[in-house]
Amino acid sequence: MATTGERVRRGLRACSLALLVGSCTHDEAPDGPPVRDCTSVVWAWPSHPSASVQIVGSWDDWASPGASMLEREDGWRVLGLDLPPGEYGYLVVDGGSAQLDEHNPLTSFRASDGREVSRLEVDDCGVPALQVLPDQVRVDAAGLTISALFLAVQASAQLDPGSVQADLQVDAAAPEDGTIDLSSPPLARGRHGFELHAKDLAGRAAQARVSVFVDPIAPSWADAIIYQVVTDRFFADDGLPLAAPPSPGARAGGTLGGVQAALESGYFEALGVSALWLSPVYENPLEPRLGTDGRLYEGYHGYWVADSRAVEPRIGGEQALRSLIDVAHARGIAVILDVVPNHVYETHEIVAAQRANGWFNEHPSECVCGTPSCPWATNMQDCWFAPYLPDLRLENGDAMNFAVAELLWWLDSFEVDGVRVDAVPMMPRAASRRIVHAVHNHTAPGIDRLVLGEVFTGSGTPGVAGLRHYLGPGGLDSVFDFPLMWALRDVLATDSAGFTTLDALLGHIDAQLGSGAVLARMLGNHDVERFVSTIIGDAHGDPWDQPASQPDGVNDDEARALDRVALALTLQLTLPGMPVIYYGDELALAGGDDPDNRRVMPALSSLPPARAALLERARTLGQLRRCAPALRSPHRQTLHVGQSSYAYARLAEDGGVAVVLISRADEPQAIPLPGTDILSGTFVDALGGGTHELGAGAELVLGPRSAMVLLPVGDPCSP
């Protein structure tokens, strides 16, 4: 464990060396506790060694020429800003050109002209603080240990040891150096939240939050399999199957209790699932509303946010959500909430209270997204999803702070493990970065909570570029890999492309986003037609009058369709990334365009044999991924690629290996494999195809529309 002096020096090094804006959280007093220092330090690398660099900001109404940055011997420019507590905007002026601070991912918008500027938030150093660094929180079989640091207002304002309060054992509280050590005996499996409180001798209070997950199934999000649930369409209380809703846009009656029943039955664990993504749980309006297609819809999906701090009673309310989270956590399964910072329903209290204060994007006439008068191309970030869904203008600082605070309320109130952020491209990028910063810094260690963004893109390289814009330092933890989703459909659903195209796309994604990028990879979701219906080719009929047919494998065409779904699941669950299974994809649930793609989950006992077999294949693949480190690693090596066949190796850091072979052809295919030290010896097909010898000149024959996942003989995950 680091000593106090080491932690102080580490903090000072962060202030003097970190290439981003921030506050030096404390200073090292020669005699006494560490003292808060709210000086903000801005760094810049000049465009030319002789360039003059200044900082201009909102603290003096953007007065020019601004404050000159000091030149260091190593060429960097630096400036310390001593400002009163509050939020500020600033720009770096390099050689007369004002620009964003490239080392600070956080931005806001200047009120006078809407220009995006770098954002600076200065704490109040007139009150003490409790600092808990991520590496000072440890949880293992022996229990939880936390090392906190009390940062004083001044050297004489020491920690009052008797004021330290937490639902933990206080092992030490040292006024002379501000260290506080806390611990607990072994904790039950699940997430546990703690509030730490302390005061100085003058009674000034400080607090910090800690939240830890004990023994999760997936130790990191790179190891996770996420299951997406549309709660209203899943199961009723006690896991009872639902009847189809009276119309495709109506509520079906699914509940959080139905999700919990499936959880308690072991359904998710059988699929290898380690996290549940719940559709929005906000309270939604009772009344149905007209869609742009003239049909009536209800808020069964949860995206019409009438109250952003209430759980929808019709899915079970607050107690049902708490119960579901508790049961999931007790099984090591994380829970992700779908959050909606982009808009609210028209009856939400802030509409009447804040509309006159510029909180919403207003237009001279109705601007509904995607309509002729309000096209996506020009109005992506200010259009309204519907006339009754006012769009928050997050360029307004108060509106942005509201959206972030509402999201943090759910984290604090329900101890969830992450959020899926809706409609990311419909908001300024500043919004998603503020959300990431807030989630990761609101509690310690914080970085274990996932911020997964919905960045809906098209296919190919333009789609990859769209994802890249929201990743990187300060960006989202993960995004949905829509380009791969479209490519999987081209290769396995419509045959409009071959595996050569898929392999090239995977290489491009690795090059552009990093081979270690943890992308959320899915076959579909609640906004696109179901994978199996794309294969059948009847996905675009009217959901009310001509819904997609449900293939059950009772004839050759239907059997072929289910085989193709099995191949898609094989790719999804054996490629690098974080698989996201949309409810029902594991059993080829059909569905056309929204809302036909949100049918009720069928009773598992009534599945026809071919779809029951597909579910078993999905379970086998999910369990394989959970078991085999090679299938969760970021490393993939192409071994063979053709128009109709594909083979690749997955390599673990510990030397483990898995080999995946896939053929979409309707006749047997011979696949040559190169021999290497790693890819030599006897391997077992974990999908039930017996043993195979690999080495120089090896060639394996795949049957029609089939796959193999090969593991070395003796591998603990092999059958």
Side-chain angles (χ1 to χ4, degrees):
M1 182 179 298
T3 66
T4 301
E6 289 170 340
R7 279 184 278 169
V8 169
R9 286 189 289 275
R10 182 167 58 214
L12 290 174
R13 286 197 298 271
C15 287
S16 61
L17 297 177
L19 303 182
L20 51 83
V21 67
S23 295
C24 297
T25 55
H26 60 272
D27 203 352
E28 188 170 13
D31 296 302
V35 176
R36 295 197 72 184
D37 181 0
C38 288
T39 300
S40 297
V41 183
V42 182
W43 295 80
W45 184 259
S47 59
H48 187 274
S50 62
S52 174
V53 185
Q54 297 85 29
I55 300 295
V56 296
S58 60
W59 47 83
D60 60 1
D61 200 24
W62 303 94
S64 181
S68 294
M69 302 189 77
L70 302 178
E71 183 176 355
R72 288 166 43 108
E73 291 183 358
D74 59 6
W76 282 94
R77 307 299 172 85
V78 63
L79 180 66
L81 297 167
D82 291 311
L83 300 169
E87 298 180 33
Y88 301 92
Y90 70 96
L91 291 168
V92 178
V93 183
D94 185 340
S97 175
Q99 55 201 16
L100 293 173
D101 180 354
E102 63 180 4
H103 305 298
N104 177 12
L106 300 180
T107 59
S108 57
F109 297 87
R110 192 158 60 186
S112 61
D113 59 3
R115 176 171 180 167
E116 187 172 14
V117 297
S118 293
R119 180 179 184 271
L120 174 63
E121 185 170 355
V122 179
D123 290 339
D124 182 0
C125 277
V127 295
L130 273 176
Q131 182 185 76
V132 183
L133 298 175
D135 63 356
Q136 297 300 312
V137 179
R138 297 182 178 87
V139 60
D140 54 31
L144 171 68
T145 60
I146 300 171
S147 293
L149 191 61
F150 184 84
L151 306 179
V153 173
Q154 55 193 29
S156 60
Q158 293 185 344
L159 165 70
D160 176 2
S163 71
V164 178
Q165 295 182 0
D167 292 330
L168 296 162
Q169 173 69 37
V170 180
D171 298 319
E176 63 275 9
D177 63 8
T179 56
I180 302 173
D181 294 325
L182 307 106
S183 65
S184 78
L187 297 170
R189 193 180 204 183
R191 183 169 285 278
H192 301 265
F194 303 94
E195 286 196 358
L196 316 182
H197 298 269
K199 297 179 181 179
D200 64 16
L201 293 174
R204 289 171 292 208
Q207 67 178 39
R209 293 182 60 87
V210 173
S211 182
V212 295
F213 200 141
V214 178
D215 191 24
I217 288 175
S220 75
W221 290 105
D223 297 302
I225 297 176
I226 298 174
Y227 191 93
Q228 179 191 358
V229 178
V230 177
T231 303
D232 178 70
R233 302 300 173 88
F234 198 57
F235 288 121
D237 280 342
D238 299 324
L240 298 174
L242 297 163
S247 76
R251 188 174 289 274
T255 64
L256 295 166
V259 181
Q260 181 173 324
L263 184 61
E264 292 173 327
S265 75
Y267 183 77
F268 301 118
E269 287 156 302
L271 283 166
V273 167
S274 54
L276 297 178
W277 157 25
L278 303 177
S279 54
V281 298
Y282 305 108
E283 186 170 323
N284 273 229
L286 294 173
E287 64 273 10
R289 301 301 297 261
L290 281 176
T292 55
D293 58 0
R295 304 282 194 176
L296 280 175
Y297 291 83
E298 296 181 43
Y300 68 89
H301 41 67
Y303 291 98
W304 299 351
V305 187
D307 188 334
S308 48
R309 293 195 178 189
V311 181
E312 172 58 60
R314 287 168 291 180
I315 62 172
E318 178 179 328
Q319 188 52 49
L321 179 59
R322 293 192 185 281
S323 179
L324 170 58
I325 292 170
D326 287 346
V327 171
H329 283 169
R331 292 172 175 263
I333 293 177
V335 177
I336 299 166
L337 291 186
D338 202 324
V339 295
V340 185
N342 175 71
H343 60 266
V344 295
Y345 189 67
E346 62 186 5
T347 60
H348 193 291
E349 63 182 9
I350 66 167
V351 177
Q354 302 296 344
R355 193 163 189 175
N357 295 324
W359 278 36
F360 297 94
N361 286 307
E362 305 287 1
H363 301 271
S365 59
E366 186 175 278
C367 182
V368 174
C369 303
T371 57
S373 61
C374 197
W376 288 106
T378 56
N379 294 89
M380 171 76 78
Q381 292 189 358
D382 62 9
C383 63
W384 293 23
F385 269 123
Y388 42 85
L389 296 176
D391 191 74
L392 277 164
R393 190 170 74 86
L394 297 173
E395 291 85 352
N396 180 299
D398 291 334
M400 176 79 84
N401 289 339
F402 164 81
V404 173
E406 297 306 278
L407 185 154
L408 293 179
W409 181 85
W410 289 92
L411 292 184
D412 289 347
S413 299
F414 294 94
E415 290 292 346
V416 293
D417 309 291
V419 292
R420 177 264 188 187
V421 183
D422 184 52
V424 168
M426 296 187 68
M427 303 177 287
R429 188 172 66 169
S432 58
R433 293 191 167 193
R434 278 285 303 280
I435 288 169
V436 170
H437 183 265
V439 170
H440 288 174
N441 289 277
H442 185 60
T443 59
I447 54 175
D448 66 332
R449 280 176 156 157
L450 178 71
V451 183
L452 170 59
E454 183 210 17
V455 182
F456 197 106
T457 69
S459 60
T461 55
V464 176
L467 300 182
R468 184 179 182 180
H469 183 65
Y470 294 95
L471 295 170
L476 294 162
D477 296 329
S478 180
V479 292
F480 293 97
D481 193 348
F482 282 96
L484 181 63
M485 182 196 77
W486 300 123
L488 289 173
R489 290 171 176 235
D490 290 344
V491 174
L492 290 175
T494 66
D495 285 6
S496 58
F499 282 108
T500 51
T501 300
L502 178 66
D503 186 64
L505 176 66
L506 288 169
H508 179 71
I509 290 172
D510 287 348
Q512 293 298 308
L513 306 182
S515 60
V518 182
L519 300 177
R521 288 178 157 163
M522 67 288 187
L523 303 185
N525 67 14
H526 58 294
D527 289 325
V528 299
E529 66 273 11
R530 291 279 187 172
F531 195 92
V532 72
S533 296
T534 302
I535 297 172
I536 294 296
D538 62 354
H540 299 297
D542 183 276
W544 272 257
D545 301 325
Q546 196 178 6
S549 61
Q550 175 61 65
D552 287 330
V554 297
N555 57 44
D556 289 345
D557 287 342
E558 291 190 359
R560 176 182 177 277
L562 297 188
D563 287 346
R564 290 297 188 99
V565 174
L567 296 181
L569 287 166
T570 302
L571 280 166
Q572 181 191 20
L573 289 163
T574 62
L575 283 171
M578 184 171 58
V580 179
I581 301 172
Y582 180 41
Y583 84 97
D585 276 355
E586 70 274 23
L587 42 81
L589 184 61
D593 294 327
D594 175 14
D596 189 34
N597 56 354
R598 305 172 184 182
R599 297 181 186 180
V600 297
M601 187 75 164
L604 301 181
S605 60
S606 67
L607 288 177
R611 291 175 65 198
L614 178 64
L615 175 58
E616 285 306 310
R617 172 57 57 89
R619 288 170 169 168
T620 298
L621 289 164
Q623 289 296 328
L624 273 175
R625 188 180 185 94
R626 180 192 286 193
C627 179
L631 292 178
R632 302 193 305 274
S633 84
H635 306 299
R636 175 189 59 87
Q637 178 183 345
T638 299
L639 303 177
H640 161 84
V641 60
Q643 279 297 100
S644 297
S645 57
Y646 193 31
Y648 50 90
R650 301 296 314 284
L651 307 172
E653 298 291 347
D654 64 1
V657 62
V659 179
V660 182
L661 303 92
I662 291 180
S663 171
R664 73 180 186 189
D666 292 330
E667 59 281 331
Q669 292 282 300
I671 298 181
L673 295 177
T676 67
D677 290 342
I678 295 176
L679 301 178
S680 296
T682 305
F683 282 69
V684 179
D685 178 13
L687 301 183
T691 59
H692 302 271
E693 294 297 323
L694 299 188
E699 186 176 82
L700 300 185
V701 177
L702 286 179
R705 303 182 302 276
S706 63
M708 294 181 184
V709 179
L710 303 179
L711 300 173
V713 165
D715 187 292
C717 302
S718 62

